[in-house]
Amino acid sequence: MRYSARLLEHFLHPRNAGLMRDPDGTGEDEFEGCGDLARIFIRVREGRAVEVRFQSYGCGPTIAAASAASELIGGRVVEELVSLKADEVERALDGLPDDRKHAAEVVAGAVRAAALDALRRRAA
Amino acid sequence: MSRRVYLDHNASTPVHPEVLAEMLPYFGEVFGNPSSVHGFGREARDAVDASRDRVAGFLGARPDEIVFTSGGTESDNFGVKGLAWAAGRGHVITSKIEHHAVLRTCQALEAQGFAVTYLPVDGYGMIDPDDVRRAVRPDTIAISLMHANSEVGTIQPARAIGVIAREHGVPFHVDAVQTFGKIEIDVDAFNIDLLSFSGHKIYGPKGVAGLYVRKGTRMVSVQHGGEHERRRRAGTENVPGIVGLGKAVEIRRRDMKEEATRLTALRDRLWDGVRARVPDVRLNGHPTERVPGTANIAYKHVESESIVLGLDLKGIAVSAGSACTAGSVEPSYVLVAMGVPIEWAMGAVRSSLGRSTTAEDIDYVIESVEPIVRKLRAAMPVGAA
């Protein structure tokens, strides 16, 4: 199997999948040319992402990456999430094959966008 | 993982035990080169000739019209380039849904100055014989069309196209890799001049295949060297492989009809079971004019690779209709040519059944796919894809 046990576990049992009502921040990213898409919703309390939900479309690794990221960012300071790197998402999956690195990138992009959206709303 | 279900027989099949048993002596005891004049060589030559007789008999051909090759791709290259290069220049008719072995060969011929018409197909993946008739030009030198498509299994009206080819005096090459040994085909009844077939799709070994070449067809070789295969295909014959192919053909001759009936019922059981449990599914390919064991089912708004992965984790082997590699997604060109909308084409999964497939296997697949698709859809943004 070319995918890690952790990735497969997330794929089989995705955490926090689905829509969130009235989120404090929403972000989306699409991998150009591939169509893989991730959407992240966060609820923010005292500057931290206390609740995370995701929706994703794509190959198995993208679904697993979104699930892993939803756990990874739970409780984290929103200002930090604005600069979340794909590497960190990939590490949460115990690595990705070279031709599936985009799974972590698209999910990290959606997290950054959601964090930025939450900060903008707070400032408004 | 307890249960394993292999539903990818259009990709490859396991070697039949009877085939393996027949091949084994040719790796050891009977090892001569069929071109050698001594006894060791003659034994090998006899085995190759016996296999040639079996294949020829199965196709309604003469033994000297069978050329053994290394695979379906070589057979297709030999067939299409052999006709084109013999003519020197001219026009080739093929279709948009051919295997890459034909499509890319035709593209290579275009780069060499040949003209190529790529015929469209209808929503079932079927070529209209009238399109073939209309495409024929005075300089048409070859018609190369597949007998059935590997992805959707739609069987082409080869008999009707053969009549048109014969009327116009244009050589007709049929890529029958996906139908040889699965449904009836007779080179004379179908007016076929060249026919590609392969061993590993019919429980023979990999690395052996062949091309039927009707006597009198103007062809040139594409591989040069020794005098093998009546100077049509140079290279020492793959004796164990050819013996295995011959045995596989003999078994198909015996089992083909019965198995076709059984696999058609199982294929329909799969589709009926899936559509009863999973909403938003469609069958790609012709409902009846289809290779017995093939069912291409599309799941709307789900990416096929994630279904393949989900089923793989349940021990089930199927294949994806789209491939996402290195950041570029490729919906199947076959489904695109059929006009299948992108949101369906992206979620196409092919199951191809074979001699080991049982009704219990099919029921297990039906049970397994429903929760996988449900979960994937639950994580999916509405309106995505």
Side-chain angles (χ1 to χ4, degrees):
Chain A
M1 180 63 74
R2 62 198 291 250
Y3 300 130
S4 72
R6 211 160 161 197
L7 186 155
L8 294 175
E9 213 281 315
H10 273 288
F11 171 74
L12 279 177
H13 308 288
R15 270 71 107 181
N16 307 308
L19 200 69
M20 182 189 287
R21 285 186 184 277
D22 305 320
D24 297 310
T26 307
E28 188 175 297
D29 198 11
E30 188 173 354
F31 196 76
E32 206 164 314
C34 176
D36 274 16
L37 187 143
R39 192 179 286 159
I40 297 280
F41 307 93
I42 53 175
R43 194 167 321 282
V44 182
R45 293 291 176 268
E46 296 171 0
R48 290 178 185 272
V50 293
E51 192 188 342
V52 185
R53 306 283 292 171
F54 81 88
Q55 293 180 310
S56 77
Y57 170 83
C59 45
T62 302
I63 291 155
S67 167
S70 75
E71 285 194 332
L72 179 74
I73 67 172
R76 297 258 296 256
V77 175
V78 176
E79 270 97 344
E80 270 178 38
L81 298 180
V82 170
S83 54
L84 183 83
K85 298 273 195 300
D87 290 358
E88 205 180 330
V89 177
E90 187 181 341
R91 277 199 299 277
L93 294 169
D94 291 341
L96 281 165
D98 281 349
D99 61 354
R100 291 293 184 275
K101 300 281 188 203
H102 64 272
E105 286 168 23
V106 71
V107 169
V111 170
R112 290 193 298 267
L116 208 57
D117 182 48
L119 292 180
R120 279 201 198 107
R121 290 197 206 185
R122 194 172 63 183
Chain B
M1 188 188 300
S2 51
R3 190 169 190 142
R4 298 189 81 198
V5 177
Y6 183 79
L7 295 187
D8 204 11
H9 290 83
N10 287 8
S12 197
T13 59
V15 172
H16 193 294
E18 291 176 44
V19 169
L20 182 62
E22 188 126 335
M23 289 171 71
L24 285 175
Y26 295 89
F27 288 103
E29 300 149 44
V30 190
F31 64 89
N33 186 324
S35 298
S36 300
V37 293
H38 48 62
F40 293 84
R42 285 199 304 275
E43 281 174 356
R45 165 65 52 205
D46 288 347
V48 168
D49 286 345
S51 229
R52 206 184 300 282
D53 289 346
R54 281 171 163 172
V55 174
F58 184 66
L59 285 171
R62 294 161 34 150
D64 61 0
E65 294 174 316
I66 302 299
V67 182
F68 290 116
T69 67
S70 67
T73 292
E74 187 195 330
S75 296
D76 283 342
N77 268 264
F78 180 22
V80 179
K81 286 178 185 163
L83 288 174
W85 290 352
R89 59 184 182 166
H91 170 239
V92 177
I93 297 171
T94 187
S95 88
K96 290 180 177 173
I97 63 161
E98 297 303 307
H99 189 275
H100 281 132
V102 167
L103 273 185
R104 290 185 177 153
T105 298
C106 286
Q107 287 160 5
L109 289 174
E110 281 186 283
Q112 293 168 12
F114 291 88
V116 180
T117 297
Y118 299 91
L119 295 174
V121 292
D122 68 13
Y124 295 128
M126 182 100 60
I127 296 160
D128 182 349
D130 284 337
D131 282 344
V132 178
R133 189 187 299 280
R134 281 189 286 270
V136 176
R137 315 190 319 201
D139 66 340
T140 301
I141 50 159
I143 297 171
S144 176
L145 296 169
M146 59 185 9
H147 194 203
N149 181 271
S150 63
E151 283 183 44
V152 296
T154 298
I155 300 167
Q156 303 300 339
R159 195 185 284 263
I161 295 167
V163 170
I164 295 165
R166 188 52 48 89
E167 276 170 15
H168 291 83
V170 178
F172 182 30
H173 168 242
V174 173
D175 172 359
V177 167
Q178 288 296 344
T179 55
F180 179 73
K182 296 181 188 173
I183 58 174
E184 198 193 337
I185 190 159
D186 181 298
V187 290
D188 284 339
F190 285 56
N191 286 305
I192 291 167
D193 297 303
L194 293 95
L195 181 136
S196 302
F197 56 92
S198 177
H200 75 110
K201 309 291 192 192
I202 54 163
Y203 312 97
K206 293 172 182 65
V208 67
L211 183 71
Y212 157 79
V213 182
R214 181 177 294 282
K215 196 172 170 62
T217 305
R218 212 171 140 229
M219 285 278 287
V220 296
S221 300
V222 301
Q223 179 160 306
H224 301 96
E227 312 269 302
H228 313 88
E229 298 295 287
R230 301 170 74 90
R231 283 186 283 175
R232 292 172 297 191
R233 194 269 184 186
T236 299
E237 294 87 346
N238 170 5
V239 179
I242 290 169
V243 167
L245 173 57
K247 182 64 180 178
V249 166
E250 187 191 83
I251 295 170
R252 298 315 299 165
R253 192 173 195 156
R254 183 187 76 201
D255 297 347
M256 184 171 82
K257 275 196 181 144
E258 198 180 315
E259 190 176 288
T261 307
R262 196 178 73 84
L263 293 185
T264 301
L266 287 179
R267 153 199 106 178
D268 293 344
R269 182 188 185 102
L270 175 64
W271 168 232
D272 289 340
V274 168
R275 70 171 156 174
R277 291 181 185 220
V278 186
D280 285 331
V281 291
R282 65 173 265 169
L283 182 76
N284 294 316
H286 199 281
T288 55
E289 291 299 303
R290 190 151 43 97
V291 172
T294 302
N296 185 309
I297 298 174
Y299 300 83
K300 194 179 187 184
H301 286 152
V302 190
E303 212 271 349
S304 55
E305 261 194 56
S306 37
I307 302 175
V308 171
L309 177 60
L311 288 173
D312 186 28
L313 294 169
K314 302 286 283 180
I316 299 164
V318 294
S319 88
S322 64
C324 169
T325 50
S328 76
V329 78
E330 300 276 338
S332 145
Y333 65 92
V334 174
L335 299 180
V336 169
M338 287 164 59
V340 175
I342 189 82
E343 67 270 25
W344 288 102
M346 294 302 293
V349 175
R350 178 191 71 186
S351 298
S352 45
L353 290 53
R355 57 184 288 269
S356 64
T357 313
T358 63
E360 290 73 32
D361 289 340
I362 296 300
D363 293 344
Y364 175 62
V365 174
I366 295 165
E367 275 166 36
S368 303
V369 77
E370 190 276 329
I372 291 168
V373 172
R374 183 160 35 83
K375 272 191 202 171
L376 289 169
R377 282 180 174 161
M380 191 206 66
V382 176

